[in-house]
Amino acid sequence: DGYVIEGHVPVNDIRRLLAEKPLAVGLTAPGMPVMSPGMRSIEPRGYDVLLFDKDAQTSVYSRY
């Protein structure tokens, strides 16, 4: 649907993004979170997923 996903963003956040269709460029999980899916954990823990727009403004989309 034209969104950008960067980093270890959990699939549930991607599904939520596609369902809600916010005015945004996409989602990011910056910094290679150690307890993210694909790293040391199947369940995300201890980091935030950020929503970002075309002006590089971010807001917390999900907190784990």
Side-chain angles (χ1 to χ4, degrees), residues 4-25:
V4 173
I5 307 298
E6 187 283 323
H8 292 254
V9 175
V11 69
N12 287 339
D13 290 326
I14 297 169
R15 288 182 181 137
R16 178 178 154 210
L17 177 78
L18 294 174
E20 293 178 354
K21 299 189 184 313
L23 184 59
V25 172

